[in-house]
Amino acid sequence: MAAADQPPAPGSTAAPSPGPAPTPSPATPGALATRLADERLDHRFKGLPPDADGLTAGELAAQRRNVFTGGFTTPLLTLSAESLEHNLALLGTYAARHGLAFAPHGKTTMAPQLFARQLAHGAWGITVAVPHQVRVCRAFGVSRVFLANELVDAAALRWVAGQLADDPDFRFVCYVDSVRGVELMDEALAGSARPVDVVVELAAGEGARTGVRTEAAALEVAGAAARAASLRLVGVAGYEAQVPDASPDAVRAWLRRLVALAAELDGRGLFADAEEIVLSAGGSEWFDAVAEVFAEVPELSAPVLRLLRSGAYVSHDHGHYERLTPFNRVPDEGALAPAFVLWAQVVSRPTPGEAFLNAGKRDVSYDLALPVPLLVRSGRDGAVRPAEGLAVTALSDQHVWLRTAPAAGAAPAAPAAPAEGTAQTPGAAGTAGGTPGGHGTPGGHGALEVGDWVALGLAHPCTVFEKWPLIPVVAADGTAVDYVRTFF
C-alpha cells in the first residue's frame, strides 16, 4: 500500500501530496475493513438476533434493527454511534492543534474498522503491543505500525523482515530496552533487506513496567542498537502513566528526561542514520503534559516526529478514564463521551434487596472498577428511567449482583455472600455506584422487575472490547447502524 493512503499526520515532516486525493486503493485500511461487512453471522457472535444467522454483517446493518425490539438477546454490548465519532474526531483535532503525530494504541480495540476511521481522522499509524496485533494491522492495510514493546521473538522478527522486504512503504518501529534484546534482534534479522527501526524505551521510574532505568543504561543500549547491522536507531520512547505517584509536575519532569535523552543520544551521533527522530509517549491519562513538554523539544540533527499513542479515548468509559482524562484539566480543549453501554436483563429478584442480571465477568470489565447502573428499561412497556437506587456489588461468571433499594420503611434484606472467586466491590458490599433511595420493591410502582433491561456503564475499554467479537454501533434512537469486528 502506498504511503499516500495514510495522510501525513501533524508532527510528521512529510509534505502533503499536491492536487486532488488519489482514488483509494483496494488495499487501503478503509477498503479492507469494509470487506468485514461480508462476513456471515452465526453463533460466534453473542447478543445478535438468532434469526440473523446466515446474514452478512452488512445485510443486518442494512435492516436498521432496533436493539430493543429487533430480536437482539442479552447481554448485549453497544457502542454509541454519536459518541464514537465525537471521540475519534476530538483526539484527531487535539493532536493536530498541538503539532503531534498520532498513533493510537490499537490493542484497546483490535478493530480494523476503527483503525481505518482513526487513520481517516489523521492518525500517522497504529500502535500495538505484540506480534499478533502487528499481523492484524498488516492484514488490514496499515502501513505504519509502532510496536510498544521489545520484540525478541525470532519467528516474528523474520516475519516483520519479510513485510519490510515486500513492501517498501511499510514503516515499522519497536522498542529496545536491553543489550541482550539488541543481540537477539540482530541475530534473528541477519541478512534482512531492510533494517528494523528501534527506539530506546526509558522507564518511567523505579517500580515501573519495562524500559531502561537510567540514562547510563539507555546510552549502553543505544550504542548497541546503533552498531547492530540489522537495526536502525531512530529515537526514544516511554509511557508516562507509569511514573510513581504521578502528578502533573512529576509527569512533566519525566517527559523532560525523555526529551533530554533524545538530545543526548543525538549529540553523540547515535541517530546518524535516522531520517527523522522519533520521540514518543502518551497514554490516555497525561496527553496534555505530553503536548506541553513535546512543544519544548530543541532543534535536533533531523526533524522530530512527536508521536502520541493514546488508545482508550475511542470509547472512553464510565469510571476510570472518566475520572483521569486530561480534558478534566483542560476543559476548554473538549470532552470525551462514554460510548459503551452493556444491556443485561433482570433474571432473578429473590429478595427485596437484591436482583441478578444475566451478564458477568465474561461480558464486562472488572479489573479497574465494577459496572455502574445507568438506566432501566421496563420489560412491560419499554419506558426508560434512571437506575436510581441500584448498585453493582459483585460479578460472577454469568451474573451481575445488584443491590436494590427496599421500600420505604422496610428493613433491607441482607444479600447472600458471593461465592469464592466472585469479583466484588472493595470494602463493604454495595459501594460500587448508584444512589441510595429510589425505586421500590417487586410489585411497587417503578420497581425493578424480572424481565427489565438494565444499562451498565463500564470502565477500562481494553478489557471490554476483548470480550466481544462483534459489537453493534447504535444510534441515539436505538437503531443498530453498523457492527464493529474485533480480533483478539
Side-chain angles (χ1 to χ4, degrees):
M1 185 187 72
D5 292 333
Q6 290 176 211
S12 171
T13 58
S17 301
T23 301
S25 162
T28 61
L32 291 169
T34 298
R35 297 178 188 175
L36 290 169
D38 297 330
E39 185 172 15
R40 294 286 171 185
L41 304 177
D42 55 28
H43 60 275
R44 293 170 297 161
F45 306 117
K46 57 186 178 179
L48 298 188
D51 65 359
D53 279 9
L55 297 178
T56 67
E59 289 168 344
L60 182 58
Q63 292 182 1
R64 294 297 193 263
R65 296 198 191 188
N66 186 280
V67 294
F68 303 112
T69 61
F72 289 83
T73 63
T74 54
L76 179 66
L77 181 70
T78 65
L79 273 169
S80 162
E82 294 83 5
S83 296
L84 186 62
E85 178 56 28
H86 168 80
N87 295 342
L88 290 167
L90 180 60
L91 255 290
T93 301
Y94 180 90
R97 184 162 57 243
H98 291 279
L100 300 169
F102 190 26
H105 213 316
K107 61 99 174 173
T108 299
T109 71
M110 288 308 298
Q113 292 144 295
L114 298 183
F115 295 171
R117 291 177 66 175
Q118 289 169 316
L119 294 167
H121 277 286
W124 172 90
I126 299 295
T127 297
V128 293
V130 293
H132 158 71
Q133 296 168 357
V134 183
R135 293 184 62 195
V136 173
C137 286
R138 293 299 289 155
F140 287 91
V142 178
S143 66
R144 301 189 190 109
V145 178
F146 187 101
L147 179 65
N149 240 333
E150 184 169 63
L151 180 58
V152 295
D153 184 309
L157 284 163
R158 288 192 291 268
W159 177 83
V160 168
Q163 292 286 299
L164 290 167
D166 293 343
D167 184 356
D169 293 317
F170 177 38
R171 178 84 190 274
F172 177 81
V173 183
C174 72
Y175 284 175
V176 289
D177 77 349
S178 65
V179 172
R180 177 58 177 157
V182 169
E183 293 171 349
L184 290 169
M185 294 183 73
D186 198 30
E187 178 181 334
L189 294 166
S192 298
R194 291 171 58 192
V196 166
D197 288 350
V198 296
V199 294
V200 175
E201 183 192 8
L202 178 67
E206 290 301 323
R209 200 163 56 195
T210 54
V212 295
R213 266 36 184 179
T214 66
E215 279 72 6
L219 287 170
E220 182 182 14
V221 173
R227 292 189 297 271
S230 60
L231 304 181
R232 181 171 67 164
L233 182 66
V234 298
V236 298
Y239 180 47
E240 73 292 336
Q242 290 277 309
V243 170
D245 301 317
S247 67
D249 287 344
V251 170
R252 284 192 292 264
W254 178 82
L255 287 164
R256 291 188 174 105
R257 277 185 64 200
L258 187 68
V259 171
L261 177 61
E264 172 71 11
L265 299 183
D266 189 47
R268 291 172 179 258
L270 295 174
F271 298 142
D273 295 330
E275 297 170 1
E276 63 182 0
I277 296 170
V278 177
L279 178 65
S280 182
S284 297
E285 299 176 23
W286 297 101
F287 52 73
D288 56 333
V290 173
E292 177 185 340
V293 174
F294 279 15
E296 304 168 359
V297 175
E299 184 174 352
L300 302 179
S301 64
V304 178
L305 183 74
R306 300 164 174 84
L307 194 62
L308 181 68
R309 306 191 311 272
S310 311
Y313 79 97
V314 175
S315 63
H316 198 43
D317 75 358
H318 288 93
H320 183 73
Y321 290 109
E322 185 178 36
R323 184 178 75 256
L324 298 176
T325 175
F327 288 121
N328 292 338
R329 293 186 291 272
V330 288
D332 290 346
E333 297 260 23
L336 294 168
F340 273 139
V341 170
L342 187 289
W343 287 96
Q345 273 187 297
V346 179
V347 294
S348 182
R349 191 78 160 88
T351 71
E354 63 185 346
F356 292 87
L357 309 180
N358 65 342
K361 291 190 286 186
R362 292 175 177 173
D363 310 300
V364 302
S365 57
Y366 54 91
D367 53 325
L368 298 181
L370 292 179
V372 177
L374 303 174
L375 300 168
V376 175
R377 186 179 190 276
S378 171
R380 293 178 181 272
D381 59 14
V384 177
R385 63 182 187 269
E388 297 174 354
L390 303 183
V392 174
T393 60
L395 298 175
S396 299
D397 285 350
Q398 306 286 188
H399 290 94
V400 172
W401 297 57
L402 275 185
R403 184 194 65 197
T404 63
E420 182 178 354
T422 300
Q424 301 179 52
T425 305
T431 60
T435 305
H439 302 285
T441 55
H445 177 70
L448 188 69
E449 294 186 298
V450 170
D452 288 349
W453 290 41
V454 178
L456 301 174
L458 308 176
H460 199 189
C462 297
T463 52
V464 178
F465 276 103
E466 68 177 7
K467 294 175 174 63
W468 292 83
L470 195 69
I471 305 170
V473 178
V474 178
D477 65 357
T479 302
V481 298
D482 198 5
Y483 295 85
V484 168
R485 184 73 158 92
T486 66
F487 292 87
F488 284 95

